[in-house]
């Protein structure tokens, strides 16, 4: 027998811990406020520690309450998934993924046929917007460091190359200020500064001017049409490089510091479909 308090008390505590209100928890659970209070009291008596601090007109979780709430949320999510998979057999085969739009379009899409060969039993559901209504099995994230409280693995570092439209190759010798910049979280990525440093050109080119764009697709399209010069991850423009619509104007390449990370919440790590996807990511060539 497992040494556990009543499941009802745990469920009531999770709801109250999220709401930080017995009244709101009672409304969500369709019970009385006194019933919520009794369940919390039973759980605190069982654990021997207070879970809430009662302030004037509000509740706060104690350190013990915060610790318990975090673990319970993971456990209830895992139980919900297990039950849902049995209720809906197709759900076991659906892998729900959150991807940056550029990564999904330019890197993942050309490799989907290979994934289907590797895991034909899995159906992918690919999203590029986070939503509280979706429970994502895996998240591919653009960033510099691992994500706290997740299994977080670096899939690939960016490999930056300097490119332009073919008819601008001669002008690239001077880099006359038509620089194209990529924004990330509202700020310009320092890709030009990093590349100029690697090329030994720091201070010789004004990086403050130029145009800035919110996506790599916008930057690459602007570069193709002769708007200026760009430093981009070569993996994301492999088609343009192959077709010759974008050409390198230097042999200098710079690795990182940004890259693409695979993030998995603790309660999703043991799922067979997640393990299959992770195996595929590790074995496929990033180039």
């Amino acid at each position: 027998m497992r040494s556990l308090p009543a499941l009802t008390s745990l469920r009531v505590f999770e709801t109250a811990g999220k709401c930080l209100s017995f009244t709101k928890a009672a409304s969500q659970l369709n019970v009385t406020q006194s019933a919520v209070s009794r369940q919390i009291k039973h759980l605190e008596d069982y654990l021997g520690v207070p879970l809430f601090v009662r302030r004037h007109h509000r509740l706060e979780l104690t350190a013990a309450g915060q610790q318990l709430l975090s673990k319970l949320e993971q456990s209830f999510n895992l139980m919900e998934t297990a039950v849902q998979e049995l209720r809906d057999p197709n759900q076991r085969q659906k892998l729900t993924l959150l991807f940056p739009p550029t990564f999904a379009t330019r890197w993942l899409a050309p490799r989907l046929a290979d994934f289907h060969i590797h895991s034909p039993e899995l159906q992918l559901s690919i999203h590029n917007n986070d939503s509280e209504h979706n429970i994502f099995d895996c998240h591919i994230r653009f960033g510099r460091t691992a994500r706290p409280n997740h299994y977080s693995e670096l899939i690939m570092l960016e490999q930056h190359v300097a490119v332009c439209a073919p008819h601008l190759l001669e002008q690239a010798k001077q880099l006359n200020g038509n620089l194209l910049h990529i924004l990330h979280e509202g700020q310009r990525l320092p890709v030009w500064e990093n590349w100029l440093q690697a090329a030994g050109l720091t201070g010789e080119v004004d990086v403050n001017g130029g145009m800035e764009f919110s996506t790599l697709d916008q930057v690459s399209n602007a570069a193709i049409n002769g708007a200026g010069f760009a430093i981009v991850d070569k993996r994301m423009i492999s088609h343009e490089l192959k077709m010759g619509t974008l050409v390198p104007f230097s042999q200098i390449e710079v690795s990182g510091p940004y890259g693409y990370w695979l993030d998995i919440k603790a309660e999703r790590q043991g799922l067979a479909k997640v393990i299959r996807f992770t195996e595929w990511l590790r074995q496929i060539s990033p180039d």
Side-chain angles (χ1 to χ4, degrees):
M1 296 293 291
R2 296 184 183 275
S3 178
L4 289 172
L7 185 60
T8 300
S9 296
L10 295 175
R11 189 71 181 91
V12 169
F13 165 73
E14 187 209 21
T15 304
K18 289 180 177 180
C19 297
L20 291 178
S21 167
F22 288 179
T23 301
K24 292 180 180 179
S27 177
Q28 289 189 21
L29 296 168
N30 198 27
V31 297
T32 64
Q33 181 179 347
S34 61
V36 170
S37 183
R38 285 196 301 272
Q39 291 294 335
I40 298 299
K41 181 65 166 57
H42 290 329
L43 185 57
E44 289 179 328
D45 289 344
Y46 178 89
L47 297 172
V49 293
L51 300 172
F52 291 97
V53 177
R54 281 74 171 175
R55 305 294 187 189
H56 184 60
H57 295 310
R58 64 188 176 92
L59 290 177
E60 291 182 3
L61 287 166
T62 64
Q66 292 174 354
Q67 179 183 355
L68 181 60
L69 179 62
S70 174
K71 297 295 184 182
L72 282 182
E73 284 183 303
Q74 295 178 18
S75 300
F76 279 124
N77 285 341
L78 189 59
M79 286 191 288
E80 182 181 26
T81 299
V83 172
Q84 189 63 34
E85 286 181 348
L86 291 177
R87 290 184 64 195
D88 181 5
N90 291 327
Q91 190 68 23
R92 283 180 291 178
Q93 307 304 316
K94 181 182 288 187
L95 186 68
T96 305
L97 307 171
L98 179 62
F99 279 76
T102 296
F103 187 91
T105 302
R106 291 178 170 266
W107 190 87
L108 178 68
R111 293 165 173 79
L112 288 178
D114 183 88
F115 178 77
H116 182 67
I117 294 172
H118 178 269
S119 300
E121 76 282 4
L122 295 183
Q123 301 174 6
L124 298 185
S125 178
I126 300 171
H127 302 254
N128 56 37
N129 289 312
D130 200 352
S131 169
E132 63 182 11
H133 302 296
N134 288 314
I135 298 177
F136 296 105
D137 296 307
C138 302
H139 179 190
I140 298 293
R141 171 182 52 85
F142 180 74
R144 295 186 62 172
T145 58
R147 188 173 184 177
N149 303 318
H150 286 66
Y151 170 81
S152 197
E153 177 179 339
L154 180 63
I155 300 302
M156 66 184 77
L157 281 175
E158 287 196 305
Q159 298 294 324
H160 292 125
V161 293
V163 296
C164 64
H167 69 273
L168 292 183
L169 274 175
E170 284 300 315
Q171 297 181 38
K173 295 177 182 178
Q174 297 181 348
L175 290 177
N176 59 6
N178 297 328
L179 306 186
L180 308 180
H181 302 273
I182 303 176
L183 296 173
H184 175 59
E185 296 180 347
Q187 301 293 324
R188 289 182 177 183
L189 288 171
V191 292
W192 269 108
E193 291 87 343
N194 295 341
W195 185 86
L196 289 168
Q197 182 179 13
L201 298 174
T202 300
E204 298 185 25
V205 178
D206 181 13
V207 298
N208 295 314
M211 293 178 278
E212 54 190 32
F213 303 86
S214 59
T215 69
L216 186 143
D217 279 328
Q218 294 169 343
V219 169
S220 62
N221 287 331
I224 287 170
N225 288 284
F229 309 97
I231 305 295
V232 292
D233 181 3
K234 68 179 181 181
R235 296 189 185 97
M236 300 301 146
I237 56 167
S238 58
H239 176 74
E240 289 82 353
L241 292 173
K242 181 178 180 180
M243 299 301 295
T245 53
L246 286 176
V247 293
F249 61 82
S250 169
Q251 298 302 310
I252 300 295
E253 296 188 11
V254 178
S255 180
Y258 284 86
Y260 294 92
W261 295 76
L262 169 66
D263 296 336
I264 307 172
K265 292 183 177 180
E267 63 267 23
R268 315 302 293 176
Q269 290 177 28
L271 298 179
K273 57 186 179 181
V274 171
I275 294 173
R276 290 286 287 168
F277 179 69
T278 304
E279 289 174 347
W280 176 75
L281 274 181
R282 288 172 179 159
Q283 74 181 37
I284 193 168
S285 171
D287 297 319

